[in-house]
Amino acid sequence: MRRTEPISYRTPLALLLVSLSLIVAAWWWLATPVSLSRAPIDPSDKLECVSYAPFRGSQTPLIASTQIAAEQIAEDLAQLAKISKCVRTYSIQNGMDKVPELAEKVGLKVMLGIWLGGDRYKNAAEIAGAAALAKEYPGVITAVVVGNEVLLRGEMTAADLAATIRQVKPKVKVPVTYADVWEYWLRHRDVYDAVDFVTIHILPYWEDLPVRARYAAAHVDSIRKRVAVAFPNKEILIGETGWPSAGRMREGALPSRANQARVVSEILSLAKRENYRVNLIEAYDQPWKRQLEGTVGGYWGLIDADQRALKYPAGQPVSNYPLWKIYLGCGLGLSVLVFGAAMLTARRRPWSPRFLSWLAVGVSATASGVLFGIAVDKMIYESLGYGGWAMWGLLLAAGTLAPILGASALIAGRALPSFLELIGPREGRTKSWLARGLVLCFGVTTVIGAMTALGFTFDPRYRDFPFASLTMAVLPFLALALLNRPTHGTRPIAEAVFAGVFAVTAIYTGFNEGPKNWQALWTVAAYLMMAVTLWRARGEQPHDDNNRPAQSEPRLDAAAAL
């Protein structure tokens, strides 16, 4: 069959222009910077205090033998002295016993932390070392924090903790306190009598009922006042507060660069107005915490872990996507590639493609163009270790290739291949490279998507939502399932099982995460689209003489072409 009239590119070109315009508009909105009335970090108005841990890259206190060089700590403290009056430490292990000496050289004060746990011998060694440092550096160490969240972790009883605090007090000549989440102070009031002042942690993101960024500062202030009423005769120090710049949402609490800057700025402004002390968590991002708390645990720092650069230089607006111009350019290029693949395929078809097929190509191209930069950004921040990079890299690759291959299949009238056409019996495997590429991308998306879906069902607390890459991949597959579904064949068992997994886990995740978490709802929608796509799959579809799936385009189109 030959085409009697040249194909018209008016429809795809019009849709391409709409797609490019929408991508530009979306990134203009996503990258709009936020200007704050008070800079989160301002060298002209130094912080009262900031939590400090020196670990970089693969360094971790989880390995007892880790020792941080004095030169590395000195470099950090010299930088922190420009923005803060004080640093709070949590232990004297891993080389942290050098902090008071090095802090003295740059004019920093130190709230010295004693790490307590369930090992009495380690506790005794930590106490002895901290007491010796307090005597040696009386002009540097302003307070000793005996234990950090040991009640929260359940490693000591309140009575043992109070006895330990009373054991430390005669050994030092500075005020002694204990630090824990504010609720544990209210539950264990007997600790109050043992300390010189009360140090509470208020982390709106980690509350049992997470608080949105816009209400975080007010929440911190209200909790401080509540604790002050309970303990009226001693100072209430906010020992930890802040906001993460990356990671998964918890209900309406969204980690982001702009939200972190806003929360820190508003808390500091309120503390200055109400005249109370605040210690921010924390100075530097800590990659090692991701092993315990997921992505979000590693991004509470005011300073980047790798470049050691301030996230929010004073006087500069804050954007959630500093590399947005690169992301925009890549997104526009991907959209053009998707339409290009579709138009090249249309040239070789003996019929004019349906408008619905072109519209599906346009939707896929637009979504991919917008989401590609978000997916890359999430992969950079959320990949941990070789396994994490491999998993998120494969999902992003599938999400990038699927719209291109899917556009060609949509215009060609091909159905979405079943898994058996790639890994089934030899005689049933497809010889089409387009079909092989599609089913490979579909398989990768299905397996990784199912892994994440099951993770949100059985262990969701620290998992990230893969909504961007997953949506890029799912949309073209769903379009093929709806528009080019084969008319013959049986539903494959593998696809049916995966469809059930996605449907059940999506429903559970939606209820578990709640209606305020848009990242979860978006991911749930992607899971449900995967369920529909897999359920509509058919195997053993008829092939023509060239081993290509029978066309699902309306016969009227082919007849018209003749």
Side-chain angles (χ1 to χ4, degrees):
M1 293 186 293
R2 293 184 179 179
R3 195 191 308 277
T4 57
E5 296 180 2
I7 182 174
S8 173
Y9 290 110
R10 182 176 301 173
T11 297
L13 287 176
L15 288 172
L16 174 60
L17 289 176
V18 172
S19 175
L20 297 180
S21 300
L22 290 174
I23 294 169
V24 171
W27 273 105
W28 177 83
W29 176 70
L30 287 168
T32 301
V34 176
S35 297
L36 303 170
S37 57
R38 184 198 189 282
I41 308 172
D42 188 351
S44 64
D45 187 10
K46 291 185 177 182
L47 304 172
E48 283 296 322
C49 204
V50 63
S51 293
Y52 171 64
F55 307 101
R56 305 181 186 181
S58 60
Q59 295 172 344
T60 171
L62 301 178
I63 299 176
S65 60
T66 299
Q67 289 294 312
I68 308 302
E71 293 77 14
Q72 180 175 318
I73 296 175
E75 181 182 341
D76 288 344
L77 296 182
Q79 181 181 28
L80 294 178
K82 298 176 182 178
I83 63 171
S84 181
K85 305 172 186 176
C86 157
V87 293
R88 176 191 167 187
T89 64
Y90 292 80
S91 170
I92 61 169
Q93 302 172 29
N94 308 112
M96 291 293 287
D97 56 325
K98 306 182 188 74
V99 169
E101 176 187 357
L102 298 172
E104 185 177 37
K105 295 178 180 179
V106 294
L108 277 170
K109 301 297 183 182
V110 176
M111 288 183 62
L112 188 68
I114 295 177
W115 187 261
L116 297 180
D119 189 325
R120 292 180 179 272
Y121 295 102
K122 289 184 178 179
N123 291 349
E126 185 90 0
I127 290 170
L133 288 172
K135 291 179 181 179
E136 187 175 357
Y137 300 99
V140 177
I141 297 174
T142 60
V144 173
V145 184
V146 183
N148 181 75
E149 297 186 350
V150 69
L151 296 177
L152 171 65
R153 298 194 303 274
E155 295 177 347
M156 292 181 74
T157 65
D160 285 342
L161 174 61
T164 303
I165 294 171
R166 291 189 175 97
Q167 176 189 348
V168 172
K169 291 182 73 171
K171 298 179 180 181
V172 299
K173 296 182 179 180
V174 294
V176 173
T177 186
Y178 165 69
D180 210 327
V181 175
W182 63 273
E183 296 153 302
Y184 281 80
W185 278 99
L186 298 180
R187 295 178 191 175
H188 303 283
R189 298 177 61 89
D190 44 335
V191 178
Y192 167 73
D193 295 326
V195 299
D196 295 312
F197 63 95
V198 175
T199 301
I200 60 174
H201 296 172
I202 311 174
L203 301 170
Y205 173 86
W206 282 125
E207 294 283 16
D208 292 337
L209 297 175
V211 180
R212 291 178 182 269
R214 70 178 69 178
Y215 307 123
H219 174 77
V220 169
D221 191 52
S222 67
I223 295 299
R224 180 192 65 85
K225 291 176 179 176
R226 178 178 172 183
V227 175
V229 170
F231 306 122
N233 299 320
K234 294 179 182 178
E235 180 194 7
I236 308 298
L237 167 69
I238 298 178
E240 283 186 3
T241 192
W243 196 266
S245 62
R248 56 111 73 203
M249 286 186 74
R250 294 188 70 235
E251 295 191 14
L254 173 65
S256 72
R257 290 172 56 87
N259 279 347
Q260 185 185 52
R262 174 181 182 173
V263 170
V264 170
S265 174
E266 292 179 353
I267 288 176
L268 294 179
S269 296
L270 195 56
K272 189 171 184 178
R273 187 165 63 250
E274 299 288 336
N275 194 29
Y276 57 85
R277 291 194 298 155
V278 169
N279 174 78
L280 293 175
I281 184 167
E282 58 194 319
Y284 297 97
D285 285 341
Q286 294 294 299
W288 67 272
K289 289 185 177 181
R290 297 179 59 187
Q291 298 179 46
L292 305 176
E293 302 174 7
T295 297
V296 72
Y299 293 101
W300 288 75
L302 304 174
I303 302 174
D304 174 76
D306 298 321
Q307 304 299 323
R308 258 22 193 188
L310 288 173
K311 291 182 182 178
Y312 320 108
Q316 296 185 18
V318 182
S319 173
N320 285 329
Y321 297 97
L323 301 178
W324 71 273
K325 292 181 181 179
I326 297 175
Y327 294 156
L328 171 60
C330 292
L332 294 174
L334 180 56
S335 179
V336 171
L337 281 176
V338 173
F339 273 98
M343 286 189 278
L344 285 175
T345 302
R347 292 185 60 183
R348 297 192 291 267
R349 298 297 96 189
W351 60 80
S352 297
R354 294 173 292 175
F355 175 75
L356 276 179
S357 296
W358 282 120
L359 184 61
V361 170
V363 171
S364 179
T366 303
S368 301
V370 173
L371 294 175
F372 179 79
I374 299 174
V376 171
D377 199 72
K378 285 175 64 63
M379 182 183 70
I380 292 172
Y381 283 102
E382 296 174 1
S383 298
L384 180 64
Y386 295 116
W389 279 101
M391 184 171 73
W392 297 133
L394 282 172
L395 185 59
L396 177 60
T400 304
L401 291 174
I404 299 172
L405 299 175
S408 181
L410 277 165
I411 300 304
R414 291 181 179 272
L416 181 64
S418 67
F419 297 149
L420 288 174
E421 292 187 55
L422 182 67
I423 59 175
R426 186 179 299 275
E427 61 273 11
R429 296 179 188 175
T430 181
K431 296 180 180 179
S432 165
W433 285 105
L434 174 60
R436 290 176 181 176
L438 273 173
V439 73
L440 183 60
C441 289
F442 191 43
V444 168
T445 305
T446 300
V447 172
I448 295 178
M451 289 171 59
T452 63
L454 291 170
F456 285 120
T457 302
F458 296 104
D459 185 24
R461 183 173 175 84
Y462 300 121
R463 295 184 182 274
D464 301 304
F465 296 101
F467 61 88
S469 294
L470 196 60
T471 303
M472 290 171 62
V474 170
L475 281 177
F477 298 144
L478 179 64
L480 286 172
L482 295 177
L483 299 180
N484 292 0
R485 183 188 183 192
T487 57
H488 300 84
T490 58
R491 181 177 293 113
I493 295 177
E495 279 87 338
V497 171
F498 275 115
V501 169
F502 278 111
V504 172
T505 55
I507 294 171
Y508 174 82
T509 300
F511 280 106
N512 187 53
E513 296 292 338
K516 298 178 181 178
N517 188 334
W518 63 259
Q519 287 186 349
L521 295 179
W522 187 334
T523 304
V524 164
Y527 289 157
L528 291 175
M529 287 191 290
M530 280 296 295
V532 171
T533 303
L534 287 158
W535 188 252
R536 291 178 67 87
R538 292 293 183 272
E540 301 178 7
Q541 54 192 4
H543 286 66
D544 61 21
D545 294 336
N546 295 318
N547 198 45
R548 294 174 301 189
Q551 305 294 345
S552 60
E553 291 284 347
R555 297 302 179 187
L556 290 176
D557 288 348
L562 290 172

